[in-house]
Amino acid sequence: MRIIDITTASNILLKSGIIAFPTETVYGLGAMANNQIAISKVFKAKNRPKDNPLICHFNSVEQIKSFGIALNRVEQILFDQLSPGPLCLLLDLPNNSPLSVATGNRSKIACRIPNHTAALDLITKVKYPIAAPSANTSTRPSCTTANMVLADLGNKIDGVIDGEIPKIGIESTIIEVGNVSIKILRPGSIGKSEILNILSKYSIQIKIQGENTTPNKQTVVPGSKYPHYSPKTTIIQTTSIKKIIMSPGIAVIASKEKLSEYEAQLKPNKDIYFYSLGSKKELTKVSQFLYKNLSELDSIGFHKAYLLIENWGETSLGLAIANRLSKVGKNN
Ligand code: TXA
Ligand code: MG
């Protein structure tokens, strides 16, 4: 596998290859959205369960509409105001659409316009939407650098574009707009308050459901039933430091603030390594480096790591960080 430029990536895609590219959220593993052969390669490279459909990436709302995909007023406003950006809308896909190979023949398609020059240039160059899940082996942390992609997917893919580092670092918010409510199917940096704030400017009042850390099972995307974001190191989630079984070579993962609370209690114990995910006062940094931090645990070689379950605050980003962390490793 190699680092490639946008022209090379575009040529590979047009010849049914698969390549990884940066977005503002995480790296995507792209295939032409109408190409069954390339899409099968994506599933194989990731070891992705077959029933888990792929998001399609477009360069504009016009390109979405050119496939006969209609947007209602709320959807149009949200895309106008928040895209390009980390928002993915689940929209009705017309029957017999060439894009149905990406959705696994579902009647809805997840559409997103990424806010990243390399991603947009690539879509423009191939003149077609790109289907792309996150560029990582299923169950592993998503990748936020080209080197992470290289380390995870190795020679299973045809290349990776090494672009500007994703600013957000965690995946897009996925929503479905219904007649009476909007469902947040996967929380992200855009949440309830950002959506309500925009719609209120248009005097639209609508209920928003499902932004909890562990959303109601009926309001989640198919992918959420699978394990996620876990490095190879054994990670055990725990609510309390008291549940940690002390042994040589263990790490305790938490926010900077949580770790400093425990410092006096635990620091004298030489067996324990404090692994900070960053400060709650700097959530944008925490999210930007979340997956990098989780995957770097493997290179340090801990025997075991304990992840402290904690409250990351009520902002959309805080809730999204807590949502991702809630899926890492096992519960204790
Ligand atoms: O930020 C992101 O969204 C990144 C970047 C690369 O764009 N992509 C991403 O893709 O996170 P992935 O495949 O890791 O997660 C997409 C989620 C999965 O849980 C999948 O089940 C859901 O979106 N999804 C995709 N298409 C869908 C569809 N047609 N209906 C319902 N859920 C869908
Ligand atoms: Mg993923």
Side-chain angles (χ1 to χ4, degrees):
M1 216 238 301
R2 57 210 166 107
I3 303 285
I4 50 175
D5 63 16
I6 293 175
T7 306
T8 310
S10 145
N11 291 335
I12 292 172
L13 288 175
L14 292 167
K15 287 185 192 146
S16 305
I18 57 171
I19 55 93
F21 61 97
T23 78
E24 81 282 34
T25 58
V26 298
Y27 270 70
L29 178 56
M32 297 293 286
N34 62 344
N35 186 322
Q36 184 64 68
I37 294 170
I39 286 176
S40 302
K41 289 182 187 169
V42 167
F43 277 85
K44 190 162 174 230
K46 279 183 62 81
N47 194 20
R48 183 175 177 97
K50 293 275 179 304
D51 66 345
N52 196 359
L54 307 185
I55 292 178
C56 287
H57 298 71
F58 298 80
N59 63 8
S60 60
V61 173
E62 288 64 43
Q63 192 182 36
I64 296 176
K65 288 183 178 169
S66 74
F67 284 87
I69 299 167
L71 276 69
N72 65 27
R73 181 161 175 252
V74 171
E75 291 160 345
Q76 180 77 48
I77 290 171
L78 291 177
F79 258 162
D80 283 349
Q81 300 295 319
L82 297 169
S83 72
L87 179 72
C88 186
L89 291 184
L90 203 56
L91 301 169
D92 289 327
L93 185 65
N95 287 338
N96 303 319
S97 168
L99 305 180
S100 62
V101 287
T103 69
N105 286 321
R106 283 162 191 267
S107 59
K108 296 235 171 193
I109 179 168
C111 298
R112 162 161 143 71
I113 306 170
N115 188 15
H116 193 290
T117 319
L120 291 172
D121 287 353
L122 185 63
I123 300 165
T124 303
K125 206 138 209 163
V126 297
K127 300 192 179 72
Y128 210 79
I130 297 177
S134 51
N136 55 280
T137 305
S138 285
T139 78
R140 296 278 175 238
S142 303
C143 295
T144 46
T145 65
N147 278 337
M148 285 173 76
V149 179
L150 284 167
D152 183 6
L153 293 170
N155 53 11
K156 293 181 185 153
I157 68 176
D158 299 313
V160 56
I161 298 172
D162 187 4
E164 191 198 343
I165 186 163
K167 285 204 169 66
I168 313 262
I170 58 172
E171 301 82 351
S172 61
T173 308
I174 305 180
I175 67 168
E176 186 175 20
V177 178
N179 290 334
V180 290
S181 67
I182 294 177
K183 285 181 187 157
I184 297 183
L185 304 177
R186 179 176 69 184
S189 58
I190 294 171
K192 193 171 172 174
S193 59
E194 290 78 11
I195 293 171
L196 285 179
N197 188 24
I198 285 171
L199 295 180
S200 71
K201 292 185 188 140
Y202 294 82
S203 306
I204 296 171
Q205 288 186 341
I206 190 161
K207 237 172 65 184
I208 303 200
Q209 299 176 320
E211 199 179 36
N212 305 331
T213 310
T214 44
N216 174 332
K217 282 209 166 44
Q218 283 147 1
T219 61
V220 292
V221 287
S224 68
K225 65 176 178 282
Y226 296 110
H228 267 84
Y229 320 123
S230 297
K232 292 176 186 156
T233 305
T234 302
I235 297 191
I236 298 165
Q237 301 225 4
T238 184
T239 46
S240 160
I241 202 98
K242 293 192 192 100
K243 294 194 181 163
I244 296 179
I245 302 159
M246 300 300 170
S247 63
I250 65 164
V252 178
I253 311 167
S255 67
K256 183 179 164 210
E257 288 79 6
K258 193 58 130 190
L259 289 176
S260 51
E261 264 177 51
Y262 289 125
E263 198 154 10
Q265 212 175 325
L266 289 179
K267 261 286 149 77
N269 191 330
K270 296 270 184 304
D271 291 341
I272 299 177
Y273 186 95
F274 277 25
Y275 199 81
S276 172
L277 296 175
S279 167
K280 287 181 187 177
K281 294 186 192 117
E282 294 179 312
L283 288 183
T284 51
K285 265 199 195 154
V286 173
S287 77
Q288 192 176 21
F289 297 108
L290 187 68
Y291 295 134
K292 193 159 186 280
N293 280 330
L294 288 174
S295 57
E296 278 176 1
L297 279 166
D298 289 343
S299 48
I300 302 175
F302 295 114
H303 159 58
K304 200 186 268 179
Y306 288 88
L307 171 61
L308 283 168
I309 299 169
E310 58 185 303
N311 186 337
W312 287 85
E314 298 306 312
T315 63
S316 303
L317 194 54
L319 293 170
I321 290 168
N323 166 274
R324 301 306 190 273
L325 288 174
S326 73
K327 292 166 195 269
V328 176
K330 302 181 213 145
N331 286 322
N332 156 338

